[in-house]
Amino acid sequence: MRLAIIGSGYVGLVTGACLADFGHTVVCVDKSASRIDTLQRGKIPIYEPGLDAIVAQNMRDGRLSFTTDIAGSVKGADAVFIAVGTPSRRGDGHADLSYVYQAAREIAQALQDNTVVVTKSTVPVGTGDEVERIIHERRQSSVIKVASNPEFLREGSAIQDFKHPDRIVIGVEDEHARAVMAEIYRPLFLNKSPILFTSRRSAELIKYASNAFLAMKVTFINEISDLCEKVDADVQEVALGLGADNRIGPKFLHAGPGFGGSCFPKDAVALVKTAQDCDSPLRLIETTIAINDTRKRAMARRIIQAAGGNVRGKTIAVFGLTFKPNTDDMREAPSISIIQALQDAGANVSAYDPKGMDQARALWSDVAFHASPYEAARNASAICILTEWEQFRALDLQRLEKVVAQPVLVDLRNIYSEEEVTRFGFAYSGIGSRPRTPTHFTDLAAARERLVEAV
Ligand code: NAD
Ligand code: UGA
C-alpha cells in the first residue's frame, strides 16, 4: 500500500519506518525543513533505540522517503496518517488541536477519492468528526473517510511496541476504511496481534483511558510507597505481591519521582477537561494529576534533607534528566521541577544524562552539564539518580566516594539496595523503604500506634 505520514516526530517516524518495514511504500512528511533535511541525509533527529537501522534499511530499499511537500505526498496514497503533536493548550489544558486541523486543511484538496485519513495523534473524543468535516468542506464532497488509530508505543521501546503491540485499535465508521486499515496491519495480524475494530469515538477514548489508567497506577504505587516508609514496609516487596495478582498485573508498579513525559501529563489533563465539559467529572484522574504535581517538589525536599537540610551554595549532582531511560525526550521530565526546587533552595546543580543533555541545555543555562557521572559528582553534597539508565546500575561507587564532598546517594528509582551502597561509605535513601537507622524500630512502633489510633 502507498502511505503518507504527516508529522515525522517520535510517533510519525516510528510509524513510517515500521510500516515501510512491513513492505508498504511510505513517505514521511514534516513541516520542519531542517528535520526533513536531517532525515534525507540518513540521520535520525531523535534518540530511539533501533530506529536508525530500520530507517536506513527501508530508505535503501526504496520503501521510505522524506519530504516537506505535504500536497505531493498524499497524492495517490491509500491512507494518510496524521501524526502531528497535540500538546496542552496554553491556558486551559485542553488538547491543542490546531496542528491536527491544520494538517487536515493542508491535505484536503490533494487527497484522491477513497484515501483513508487516519488520526494517529492522540485526540479527544469527537475530533475525527471535525477532521472529516474540515476535509469535506474543502473538497465539497464526502467520499473521504476518517479512521482513528491511536498509538500505544512507549519511547525507548517504540519499535518493539509498534511491531509487537498488545492490541491495535482501529475506530472506523465504514467498510472501505475498515478494509484499508486491515490491509495495512495485515503483517501484525499474521503475527497474532489482536486488531480491535471499534467505533471512531470509542477508539479515541480508549487511548486517553489507557494513558490515564496507567498514570493512575503509577500514582497509586507512589502513594503506597510513601505509606511503606511510614510503616516500615518495602514498596518493592509490596509491588511484587500486588502485581502477582493477574487482575492487577506487575507492570507500572515501580515507585519513583512521579510520572512525566510527553503524554501522561498532558493527556491526563486533556481527558479531565473533556469529562468536565461533558459534566461527567473524572475525579480519580483529577486527584492523580494533583498528587503527581506535588510529588516532584516533595522529591526535592527529600534530596535536600538527605544532603543535610541546607543546600545553599552546595553542589547537588543529578544523574539522569530525561523522563525515562532510552530517550532524549525532556518533555515534562520530573527532573525539571526537581532541579527548579533544588535551585530555589540555593543549590548548584551539576548534571549528567547519557542522551538528554542536548535537549536539557536548551532548558537551563544555570546547570553545569558534564561528560560523565564521575565529573558531575565532583564536590557534591548528594548524588541523586532521577532516571534509571542502565549505565547508572553499575556505577563505580568507590570512585564516586573519592570525588564527592559528602557520600550521600538518593536513589529515586530504586536501582540500588541500601546494603550495596553503604558498603562504600554512602548514606542511602531510596523510595518506599526506610533506611536501617538505629531509631528505625522505635519509629515503627510509633507508626503502628498512630495506625491503631486512626482505626
Ligand atoms: P512530536 O512533537 O515529536 O512530532 C510532531 C511532528 O509533527 C513535529 O516534527 C512537527 O514539526 C510536525 N508537524 C506539525 N504540524 C505539521 C504539519 N501541518 N505538517 C507536517 N508536519 C507537521 O510529537 P510526537 O511525540 O510524535 O506525538 C505525536 C502525537 O502522537 C501526539 O498526539 C502524541 O500525544 C501522540 N503519541 C505520542 C507518543 C510518544 O511516545 N511520543 C506515543 C503515543 C502517542
Ligand atoms: C506512555 C504509555 O506507556 C504509552 O502506551 C503511550 O503510547 C505513550 O505514553 C503516549 O501516549 O505517548 P511513555 O510516556 O513513552 O509511554 O513512557 P512510560 O514508560 O509509560 O512512562 C511514563 C512515565 O511514567 C515515566 O516518567 C516513567 O518513569 C513513569 N513510570 C512508568 C513510573 O514512574 N513507574 C512505572 O512503573 C512506569
Side-chain angles (χ1 to χ4, degrees), residues 6-12 29-32 35 70 83-86 99 102-103 106 120-123 151-155 207 262-263 266-267 329 331:
I6 314 301
S8 305
Y10 285 86
V11 165
V29 190
D30 207 284
K31 64 178 182 187
S32 159
R35 176 163 285 239
I70 190 163
V84 299
T86 49
Y99 302 100
Q102 181 59 25
E106 287 172 25
K120 180 58 106 179
S121 300
T122 300
V123 293
E151 182 49 58
F152 299 97
L153 64 78
R154 290 162 300 165
E155 290 181 19
K207 173 63 196 176
S262 65
C263 291
K266 69 149 176 97
D267 290 348
D329 199 339
R331 288 179 282 184

Side-chain angles (χ1 to χ4, degrees), residues 38 57 64 84 89 111 119 134 156 171 189 193 224 232 254 257 259 269 278 324 331 342 351 354 368 388 400 414 417:
T38 305
Q57 182 65 50
L64 181 62
V84 299
R89 191 164 68 189
L111 293 167
T119 48
I134 289 171
F189 187 61
S193 295
I224 291 291
D232 199 24
H254 298 289
F259 62 79
V269 174
C278 300
K324 63 181 291 191
R331 288 179 282 184
L342 292 172
E388 68 277 33
L400 280 175
N414 281 341
S417 69

Side-chain angles (χ1 to χ4, degrees), residues 26-173:
V26 180
V27 52
C28 286
V29 190
D30 207 284
K31 64 178 182 187
S32 159
S34 67
R35 176 163 285 239
I36 291 301
D37 180 54
T38 305
L39 287 162
Q40 282 171 338
R41 283 186 289 109
K43 301 254 180 308
I44 307 293
I46 56 171
Y47 177 71
E48 181 60 46
L51 183 57
D52 48 357
I54 295 191
V55 168
Q57 182 65 50
N58 285 282
M59 281 177 84
R60 266 199 305 278
D61 294 349
R63 284 191 300 269
L64 181 62
S65 59
F66 300 97
T67 182
T68 52
D69 174 14
I70 190 163
S73 72
V74 304
K75 275 201 187 85
D78 296 297
V80 176
F81 287 75
I82 298 180
V84 299
T86 49
S88 260
R89 191 164 68 189
R90 206 180 285 260
D92 66 5
H94 272 287
D96 178 353
L97 295 172
S98 59
Y99 302 100
V100 172
Y101 294 153
Q102 181 59 25
R105 282 190 283 272
E106 287 172 25
I107 60 174
Q109 269 155 11
L111 293 167
Q112 68 175 28
D113 284 356
N114 285 326
T115 298
V116 178
V117 173
V118 187
T119 48
K120 180 58 106 179
S121 300
T122 300
V123 293
V125 60
T127 303
D129 303 4
E130 182 60 11
V131 169
E132 210 164 73
R133 194 194 63 73
I134 289 171
I135 292 172
H136 292 172
E137 190 179 75
R138 261 145 222 272
R139 296 172 60 86
Q140 314 279 312
S141 90
S142 57
V143 284
I144 302 290
K145 299 298 177 201
V146 174
S148 165
N149 172 218
E151 182 49 58
F152 299 97
L153 64 78
R154 290 162 300 165
E155 290 181 19
S157 51
I159 308 290
Q160 167 72 15
D161 288 350
F162 193 94
K163 289 191 161 186
H164 304 278
D166 289 345
R167 79 298 204 193
I168 299 146
V169 173
I170 298 173
V172 278
E173 301 294 339

Side-chain angles (χ1 to χ4, degrees), residues 131-436:
V131 169
E132 210 164 73
R133 194 194 63 73
I134 289 171
I135 292 172
H136 292 172
E137 190 179 75
R138 261 145 222 272
R139 296 172 60 86
Q140 314 279 312
S141 90
S142 57
V143 284
I144 302 290
K145 299 298 177 201
V146 174
S148 165
N149 172 218
E151 182 49 58
F152 299 97
L153 64 78
R154 290 162 300 165
E155 290 181 19
S157 51
I159 308 290
Q160 167 72 15
D161 288 350
F162 193 94
K163 289 191 161 186
H164 304 278
D166 289 345
R167 79 298 204 193
I168 299 146
V169 173
I170 298 173
V172 278
E173 301 294 339
D174 83 305
E175 270 313 310
H176 171 67
R178 183 189 168 110
V180 169
M181 295 306 289
E183 183 58 23
I184 291 171
Y185 282 107
R186 199 164 53 86
L188 285 184
F189 187 61
L190 295 175
N191 273 349
K192 308 252 183 302
S193 295
I195 299 192
L196 186 63
F197 285 101
T198 67
S199 73
R200 194 164 61 203
R201 284 177 170 246
S202 296
E204 290 167 338
L205 194 51
I206 286 168
K207 173 63 196 176
Y208 277 99
S210 303
N211 272 4
F213 187 87
L214 290 169
M216 189 173 68
K217 196 173 178 188
V218 169
T219 304
F220 177 80
I221 199 67
N222 284 342
E223 284 209 306
I224 291 291
S225 161
D226 290 347
L227 180 61
C228 284
E229 291 173 11
K230 295 276 164 41
V231 299
D232 199 24
D234 181 329
V235 71
Q236 296 187 76
E237 290 176 359
V238 174
L240 210 61
L242 183 65
D245 186 326
N246 271 334
R247 293 166 303 173
I248 298 173
K251 296 184 180 163
F252 280 68
L253 287 179
H254 298 289
F259 62 79
S262 65
C263 291
F264 278 5
K266 69 149 176 97
D267 290 348
V269 174
L271 181 60
V272 159
K273 292 290 170 187
T274 301
Q276 284 169 353
D277 284 354
C278 300
D279 203 14
S280 181
L282 291 171
R283 285 177 290 262
L284 286 172
I285 308 307
E286 288 173 15
T287 306
T288 295
I289 295 165
I291 295 168
N292 196 58
D293 283 348
T294 52
R295 183 166 186 82
K296 295 170 205 163
R297 285 188 88 87
M299 292 298 116
R301 287 197 293 279
R302 177 186 292 247
I303 295 164
I304 293 167
Q305 204 57 43
N310 180 1
V311 292
R312 188 157 297 283
K314 294 185 180 165
T315 298
I316 302 294
V318 170
F319 289 5
L321 295 165
T322 52
F323 77 99
K324 63 181 291 191
N326 292 323
T327 181
D328 56 354
D329 199 339
M330 284 294 301
R331 288 179 282 184
E332 298 287 329
S335 65
I336 297 174
S337 311
I338 294 174
I339 288 179
Q340 182 63 59
L342 292 172
Q343 290 179 329
D344 290 348
N348 302 315
V349 174
S350 170
Y352 169 75
D353 186 280
K355 295 286 176 196
M357 292 209 290
D358 285 345
Q359 287 200 22
R361 276 194 183 92
L363 297 174
W364 293 288
S365 56
D366 48 2
V367 166
F369 296 100
H370 294 276
S372 80
Y374 304 97
E375 286 174 37
R378 197 166 292 283
N379 208 26
S381 295
I383 294 172
C384 41
I385 297 173
L386 299 194
T387 317
E388 68 277 33
W389 285 93
E390 280 298 326
Q391 63 170 259
F392 297 152
R393 292 177 190 271
L395 291 167
D396 184 341
L397 294 171
Q398 205 164 17
R399 184 171 162 200
L400 280 175
E401 199 271 334
K402 289 202 177 82
V403 299
V404 293
Q406 201 170 262
V408 172
L409 182 67
V410 185
D411 176 8
L412 298 184
R413 297 291 184 168
N414 281 341
I415 61 177
Y416 285 95
S417 69
E418 188 176 1
E419 295 71 37
E420 283 174 285
V421 169
T422 47
R423 275 198 295 133
F424 293 93
F426 275 89
Y428 179 78
S429 168
I431 290 272
S433 64
R434 184 179 280 209
R436 308 278 122 192

